[in-house]
């Protein structure tokens, strides 16, 4: 459990690596000066020249100072080379490198899917949640693919625009970390990344167990939103295409 909670690509982990390298260097310098204290502060022998003894002491001190500077310099280079965190989610940009508002407005229709409303939507929510309660900050949508009034796709939208917890995660975690946490919490298997499209960020899909057998769970993350999509499908690539179509239609 402890190992699984560590994100080796996070900024916090990268900073920890830097601190570890520099702490080791500081320890080495302190140990160097402690072990050489007798050599560095040799007493003046009987009948010796105090001025010459002082010059020798200064030379030894400057030599140790030079070695210390070298140790710190090498450690600094190593620390700089080890600092390569993934960017935080809030820093994500679109595929062409531009910044977008990324407001999510679920479309009435996209691809072959129609947004359920009224009693159909209430019935779909009762079936999808099966008595579970979602946080009030989460927004949901249910889509019908074959015009039978039942849902074939369930979408759950979390956004930093209205959810402080999402905003905090976006400011501290990478998109990869967000998606890993999402699929781990959902107990998804065979999680596979796919092309996230023109809006950038990340998109992945995996398999989850449902009451009617295996289903596909997809999610996309960008600088503002984390959106989960559950489909009555077992084909990851097809589910990823549907999720990307929804993302493109919903993102403003």
């Amino acid at each position: 459990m402890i190992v699984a909670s560590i994100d080796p690509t996070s900024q916090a982990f990268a900073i920890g690596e830097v601190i570890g390298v520099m702490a080791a260097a500081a320890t080495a310098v302190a140990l160097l000066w402690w072990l050489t204290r007798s050599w560095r502060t040799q007493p003046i022998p009987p009948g010796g020249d105090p001025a010459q003894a002082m010059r020798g002491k200064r030379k030894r001190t400057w030599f140790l100072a030079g070695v210390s500077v070298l140790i710190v310099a090498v450690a600094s280079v190593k620390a700089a080379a080890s600092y390569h965190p993934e960017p935080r989610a809030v820093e994500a940009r679109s595929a062409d490198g531009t910044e977008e508002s990324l407001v999510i407005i679920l479309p009435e229709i996209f691809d072959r899917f129609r947004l359920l409303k009224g009693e159909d939507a209430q019935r779909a929510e009762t079936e999808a949640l099966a008595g579970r309660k979602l946080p009030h900050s989460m927004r949901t949508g249910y889509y019908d693919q074959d015009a039978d009034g039942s849902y074939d796709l369930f979408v759950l939208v979390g956004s930093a625009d209205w959810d402080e917890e999402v905003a905090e995660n976006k400011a501290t975690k990478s998109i990869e970390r967000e998606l890993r946490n999402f699929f781990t919490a959902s107990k998804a298997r065979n999680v596979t990344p796919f092309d996230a499209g023109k809006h950038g960020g990340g998109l992945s899909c995996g398999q989850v167990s449902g009451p009617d057998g295996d289903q596909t769970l997809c999610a996309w993350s960008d600088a503002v939103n984390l959106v989960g999509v559950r489909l009555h499908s077992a084909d990851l690539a097809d589910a990823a295409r549907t999720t990307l179509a929804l993302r493109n239609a919903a993102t403003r």
Side-chain angles (χ1 to χ4, degrees):
M1 293 294 292
I2 295 176
V3 174
S5 69
I6 296 174
D7 182 6
T9 61
S10 68
Q11 288 190 330
F13 184 88
I15 292 173
E17 290 279 279
V18 171
I19 292 175
V21 171
M22 297 310 296
T27 300
V29 170
L31 188 61
L32 173 67
W33 284 80
W34 183 77
L35 292 175
T36 60
R37 63 190 186 284
S38 297
W39 175 71
R40 188 177 69 256
T41 58
Q42 294 178 17
I44 301 173
D49 183 358
Q52 184 177 0
M54 184 60 66
R55 286 195 297 270
K57 181 178 180 180
R58 281 199 297 266
K59 287 181 180 179
R60 291 189 293 272
T61 299
W62 280 109
F63 173 77
L64 291 174
V67 173
S68 299
V69 170
L70 179 62
I71 291 174
V72 172
V74 171
S76 298
V77 171
K78 181 175 176 58
S82 68
Y83 186 77
H84 46 76
E86 291 176 352
R88 295 171 298 168
V90 73
E91 299 169 356
R93 295 292 182 267
S94 64
D96 62 4
T98 59
E99 185 175 355
E100 301 178 278
S101 62
L102 300 170
V103 175
I104 299 296
I105 301 176
L106 295 179
E108 298 276 341
I109 297 174
F110 82 95
D111 201 5
R112 308 174 305 280
F113 294 85
R114 178 179 62 86
L115 182 65
L116 294 177
K117 297 182 178 180
E119 292 183 0
D120 288 338
Q122 292 178 357
R123 185 170 56 253
E125 182 166 287
T126 300
E127 179 184 348
L129 298 183
R132 292 169 296 179
K133 296 293 184 180
L134 291 175
H136 294 298
S137 59
M138 292 292 180
R139 299 182 182 179
T140 59
Y142 303 88
Y143 284 88
D144 177 17
Q145 183 179 14
D146 46 20
D148 63 356
S150 62
Y151 84 97
D152 298 295
L153 183 152
F154 167 35
V155 57
L156 182 65
V157 182
S159 174
D161 285 340
W162 63 74
D163 190 326
E164 292 183 0
E165 184 176 352
V166 174
E168 181 180 353
N169 284 335
K170 294 292 180 184
T172 57
K173 294 180 174 61
S174 68
I175 283 177
E176 289 74 10
R177 178 66 169 178
E178 277 194 307
L179 292 176
R180 281 196 296 271
N181 289 348
F182 177 84
F183 286 107
T184 298
S186 303
K187 299 180 180 179
R189 312 178 305 277
N190 303 321
V191 178
T192 305
F194 291 92
D195 180 16
K198 62 183 179 181
H199 296 297
L203 187 157
S204 296
C205 295
Q207 294 175 329
V208 293
S209 298
D212 301 322
D214 284 350
Q215 298 179 349
T216 298
L217 180 67
C218 295
W220 80 75
S221 176
D222 52 47
V224 179
N225 309 292
L226 178 60
V227 183
V229 179
R230 187 161 180 156
L231 308 92
H232 294 312
S233 169
D235 188 293
L236 296 184
D238 181 65
R241 285 191 293 270
T242 299
T243 300
L244 183 57
L246 172 59
R247 184 188 188 191
N248 289 337
T251 302
R252 301 289 188 270

